[in-house]
Amino acid sequence: MKIRVSQFIDFAYGDKRKDKAKVKSIISELDLPYDPAKDRYKQFREAMTSYEEKAFSEKQFLELYSSVSANKSAGYKVLCQNYLDLKEDHALIWQGRSPIEADISGLRVSTAWYLRTEANNQRRIIFLHFGKDQLPRKKERGLLTILRMAQPDSAGVGILNIQPGTLITSTRLDQAEAEYLRERAAKFMAVSKNLKSDS
């Protein structure tokens, strides 16, 4: 079974008393068609791709906020400016929409959007977080661990929090966190199996 990294992070660090309900909700979402109306950052990702593929000028990219709805405008203005500034500040390189997948206790956890840094022929994988706030510390640690499990040969991993304007990096695998995530993935798979046998 394959789920998105955000779904697994919510399950792994959520209320364990609600495991069954959470798994049921995630599985039901897998069957639903993609709804662009619920995707707050779709226009930003499309513009980011167009800019990186040279279909948009920097000026067009920075003016994206003026062509989105009023409730997105301020956030998009920050996203576009910070994206360019952070890329320059940290020497980040566009990697495109390339899926990264971690197999954790038989559960495939995937993410798609990332950048990279390269220094001395060593590559770091940088996950793009579009949300207004940074992830809570434990979820951040979990996400870095998942990225490290997915890319064990990279020189390190990171999370680029575009709106808050921060880059969090890690070079080593947190073994205790990895073990916790394996336990939670195994629990997810067990609950999923039970739900299937009940239906």
Side-chain angles (χ1 to χ4, degrees):
M1 180 182 291
K2 181 160 99 173
I3 65 172
R4 295 192 311 275
V5 71
S6 56
Q7 293 172 318
F8 181 57
I9 289 285
D10 284 346
F11 170 79
Y13 298 98
D15 185 343
K16 293 179 177 63
R17 294 168 298 179
K18 297 178 181 173
D19 277 0
K20 187 174 180 180
K22 192 70 186 168
V23 172
K24 198 171 187 177
S25 169
I26 291 169
I27 290 172
S28 67
E29 281 177 27
L30 298 177
D31 297 328
L32 293 174
Y34 167 69
D35 183 358
K38 292 180 180 175
D39 189 345
R40 183 171 181 79
Y41 301 107
K42 179 178 187 287
Q43 290 160 290
F44 173 75
R45 291 196 309 270
E46 288 173 348
M48 177 179 70
T49 304
S50 295
Y51 167 73
E52 293 289 4
E53 293 175 352
K54 313 297 184 214
F56 260 24
S57 67
E58 184 173 312
K59 184 174 184 287
Q60 286 173 298
F61 181 61
L62 289 171
E63 289 174 353
L64 173 67
Y65 74 92
S66 63
S67 62
V68 299
S69 62
N71 67 330
K72 291 181 184 176
S73 182
Y76 269 47
K77 188 171 187 178
V78 172
L79 272 169
C80 293
Q81 187 62 62
N82 280 7
Y83 178 75
L84 297 180
D85 291 348
L86 289 162
K87 265 190 77 186
E88 184 178 347
D89 291 349
H90 300 289
L92 299 173
I93 302 161
W94 169 246
Q95 187 65 42
R97 193 174 189 279
S98 308
I100 296 177
E101 216 170 89
D103 187 317
I104 309 173
S105 301
L107 179 66
R108 287 171 23 239
V109 180
S110 70
T111 181
W113 295 92
Y114 70 99
L115 300 173
R116 70 179 196 274
T117 58
E118 285 190 23
N120 305 320
N121 291 326
Q122 291 189 310
R123 176 178 291 196
R124 253 201 188 119
I125 303 301
I126 309 295
F127 173 86
L128 294 177
H129 176 60
F130 303 105
K132 185 177 180 181
D133 301 312
Q134 276 186 223
L135 294 168
R137 183 71 66 189
K138 62 182 180 180
K139 289 187 174 184
E140 199 172 74
R141 194 169 60 239
L143 178 52
L144 288 167
T145 304
I146 291 167
L147 293 170
R148 204 78 191 93
M149 292 166 87
Q151 296 283 311
D153 297 331
S154 70
V157 294
I159 304 168
L160 187 70
N161 298 296
I162 304 175
Q163 287 195 69
T166 59
L167 174 64
I168 312 297
T169 59
S170 172
T171 52
R172 286 187 298 278
L173 177 67
D174 184 325
Q175 295 291 350
E177 203 67 28
E179 190 51 42
Y180 172 76
L181 291 168
R182 288 186 192 102
E183 288 169 9
R184 294 299 285 150
K187 181 69 186 286
F188 186 99
M189 294 299 284
V191 173
S192 168
K193 192 175 177 183
N194 288 340
L195 285 170
K196 279 180 186 165
S197 62
D198 290 346
S199 58

